[in-house]
């Protein structure tokens, strides 16, 4: 999607979504770029590289495994398991 004049920067949007400062989000994006996980698109959007996609899929897979452990064996509800999987997967 093309950038619109006056629209918030990518770092500002990421910061708002994650509840962190704009500076923290900007540093995170720079680090992801430096690590070859994200690249900037034609309109300054963040695009996962093949390595970034692989890493993201691994994170999601681990999260789902933790959720299943919590629901299937420990009796958590799906909502509780999701919250705890976020905490445990870090």
């Amino acid at each position: 999607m093309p950038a619109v004049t006056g629209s918030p920067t990518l770092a500002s949007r990421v910061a708002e979504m994650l509840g962190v400062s704009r500076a923290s989000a900007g540093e995170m994006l720079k680090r992801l770029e430096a690590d070859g996980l994200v690249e900037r698109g034609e309109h300054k959007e963040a695009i996962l590289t093949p390595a970034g996609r692989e890493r993201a899929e691994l994170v999601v897979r681990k999260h789902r495994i933790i959720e299943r452990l919590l629901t299937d064996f420990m009796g958590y509800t799906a909502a509780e398991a999701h919250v705890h999987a976020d905490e445990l997967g870090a």
Side-chain angles (χ1 to χ4, degrees):
M1 178 159 79
V4 177
T5 303
S7 67
T9 65
L10 177 61
S12 295
R13 293 190 318 252
V14 169
E16 185 177 330
M17 287 188 300
L18 297 178
V20 298
S21 72
R22 188 206 168 288
S24 293
E27 287 301 314
M28 176 194 63
L29 288 165
K30 285 179 192 174
R31 195 167 35 242
L32 290 170
E33 260 186 285
D35 291 347
L37 301 174
V38 169
E39 61 189 17
R40 293 298 180 107
E42 183 179 326
H43 302 288
K44 302 291 186 195
E45 72 275 23
I47 300 170
L48 288 174
T49 64
R53 183 174 178 87
E54 186 177 321
R55 179 82 60 89
E57 288 172 352
L58 180 62
V59 169
V60 170
R61 194 173 307 119
K62 285 181 179 181
H63 181 88
R64 289 182 180 160
I65 290 169
I66 293 169
E67 284 181 329
R68 290 298 303 265
L69 171 74
L70 293 172
T71 57
D72 294 358
F73 298 104
M74 300 187 75
Y76 285 87
T77 66
E80 292 169 332
H82 180 71
V83 169
H84 291 299
D86 280 343
E87 295 167 355
L88 295 169

